[in-house]
Amino acid sequence: MSDLAGRFRELWDEIAPVGRDAGSGGYLRYALTPPELRLREWFRAQADLRGMPVSGDGNGNLFAWWGEPNTGGPNTGGPAGTGAVLTGSHFDSVPHGGAYDGPLGIVSALLAVDELRAAGVTPVRPVVVAAFVEEEGARFGVPCLGSRLLTGEIDADRAAGLRDAAGVSFAEALGHRPAGADPALLGRFTAFVELHIEQGRALVDADAPVAVGSAIWPHGRWRFELRGEGNHAGTTRMGDRRDPMLTFAFTVLAANKEARLRYAHATVGRVAVEPNATNAIPSTVTGWLDARAAAPDTLHDLVEAVRAKAAERARRDGTELTVTRESATPLVTFDGGLADRLAGLLGAPVLPTGAGHDAGVLAAHLPTAMLFVRNPTGVSHSPAESATDDDCAAGVVALARVLEELACH
Ligand code: GLV
Ligand code: MN
Ligand code: MN
């Protein structure tokens, strides 16, 4: 193991137990809950150790600055710390998620700063390490909530009113109404580079530890609410039932079929049943459709086809259907010039991804790139997600080279 891989392991071990479920081995690090708050405190402490002042944006996102954030001093390349290079990722997880999705980008960024410092490199423009809030949308339903707020892609009042499963609003969890778009802060950044665990096996196939991202498939979340008639499981004749579970089951199968027909992805990974009793026909079944495709038209056609099939089945079952789009992320094509430049610099392959990222939101506002680190299992959003310490060290070296290229010349 290299020295850097050893330092990666030391830092990684500090956060590894935080929010880990002993049963599944996966993580329960929902935004602004105690495990994620502990990680944010850890982030502040790490920034402090490195003499990096931490600022917030009033939306729950944190920024640790190497170089002067506010003063326009000699290292800032301009007034009020403009031209800064942003990196980082998120701490929050999906339910029983893997260790790497998110935290790898933050830990790697801190270590990349250490590498540059140890090499005697001084940034001409600030390097800023971000910890974005609620990237997964696992608590409040909208993914990339922090970056959407910062960029104004979601209205602050709508975000404030989003509620978790216990009825706590985002504003209550944050302790105040989110501040919303901050064009002045965004304007200080000249580029964003998010390092992330790969969420597939393309790098295993390519036999390479690190890749550069080219694009993110358009994707979104749709809530399918199906209402029928709650009734007794033993006494209601089969022909008299209005059972929304039947409509739901058909909808799940239709989503799978319609996605396969289009070489797209459709998943129903979450369902809520009322009253959720073994001996009662449900009154309501709500399922969340996550749909993704290579092209926006394909995604649109996919969702419309699932909606049409669900509606047709609802007519046959005597149930009622309401479909609500909860979030949408358009096709993201990362800055081609930047991706080519970084791929050339690193000698790395270039890959698209079907996963969403804060980088996808920020890409509409500033030149943005992603680096992916090889994941031997190819599994993500699951405890089986993995990376070797040596590959994580290779990711740190790659990120340090990129930061040097963008912030130090
Ligand atoms: C985030 O990881 C997503 O792709 O949903
Ligand atoms: Mn994720
Ligand atoms: Mn992620």
Side-chain angles (χ1 to χ4, degrees), residues 90 94 101 135-136 196 199 356 380-381:
H90 60 96
V94 298
D101 178 354
E135 190 274 349
E136 299 288 6
H196 205 276
Q199 297 172 292
S380 188
H381 286 185

Side-chain angles (χ1 to χ4, degrees), residues 23 105 175 181 189 272:
F189 303 130

Side-chain angles (χ1 to χ4, degrees), residues 43 53 63 121 129 322 358 361 395:
F43 176 72
F63 302 91
V121 175
V129 182
T322 310
D358 293 308
V361 174

